[in-house]
Amino acid sequence: MKKVLIVDDAAFMRMSLQVLLKNNGFQVVGEAENGNLAIQRYLECKPDIVTMDISMPECSGIDALKEIIKINAEANVVIISGMGQEKLVREAILAGAKSFIVVPYKKERVVETLRQLCV
């Protein structure tokens, strides 16, 4: 069972992702509501996959992604954000994100994207 860390400043998004992932065979090992906590929880939980929002207080998802990649260049970080502008998508992928999913998302797309990272 693959371990997932969910990072989003919106509690309802964390809850909906948690339910979706648990119902599809993933183990949610932690949550964070900003980028600084994401980095801390990444070190504590050692997840296989991180789902990351972009726009968050204190430290953005892009900045947190860059720090996580410094910790582990092979980290599986998937951006899940309502901010799907081409510039941000490109920046996230260049920073090391494995995929970018725009909100509102199709549940199947999230599950399939995360499963592909588990192969």
Side-chain angles (χ1 to χ4, degrees):
M1 185 177 296
K2 292 296 178 175
K3 300 181 293 183
V4 182
L5 170 63
I6 298 171
V7 183
D8 199 301
D9 60 326
F12 75 92
M13 279 298 294
R14 292 193 311 272
M15 180 69 73
S16 65
L17 278 170
Q18 185 177 94
V19 169
L20 173 63
L21 297 178
K22 284 182 176 179
N23 287 343
N24 284 278
F26 293 91
Q27 177 186 3
V28 176
V29 293
E31 293 183 13
E33 57 270 3
N34 64 59
N36 289 333
L37 283 173
I39 298 160
Q40 181 182 333
R41 300 259 160 72
Y42 183 82
L43 290 167
E44 294 168 358
C45 301
K46 299 182 179 21
D48 300 304
I49 301 168
V50 178
T51 65
M52 180 86 69
D53 187 17
I54 288 182
S55 180
M56 295 182 290
E58 296 182 36
C59 175
S60 76
I62 299 282
D63 290 336
L65 164 64
K66 290 175 181 176
E67 290 302 312
I68 288 170
I69 293 297
K70 284 180 190 174
I71 295 164
N72 176 7
E74 303 298 314
N76 290 315
V77 180
V78 175
I79 302 292
I80 301 180
S81 177
M83 301 177 70
Q85 296 96 331
E86 185 178 339
K87 176 182 177 276
L88 288 173
V89 173
R90 188 178 315 115
E91 185 179 0
I93 299 300
L94 289 174
K98 300 289 197 247
S99 189
F100 196 112
I101 298 172
V102 179
V103 175
Y105 56 77
K106 288 188 167 46
K107 292 178 181 181
E108 303 80 27
R109 167 108 198 274
V110 173
V111 171
E112 183 58 31
T113 298
L114 297 191
R115 283 191 178 142
Q116 287 175 355
L117 293 174
C118 298
V119 179

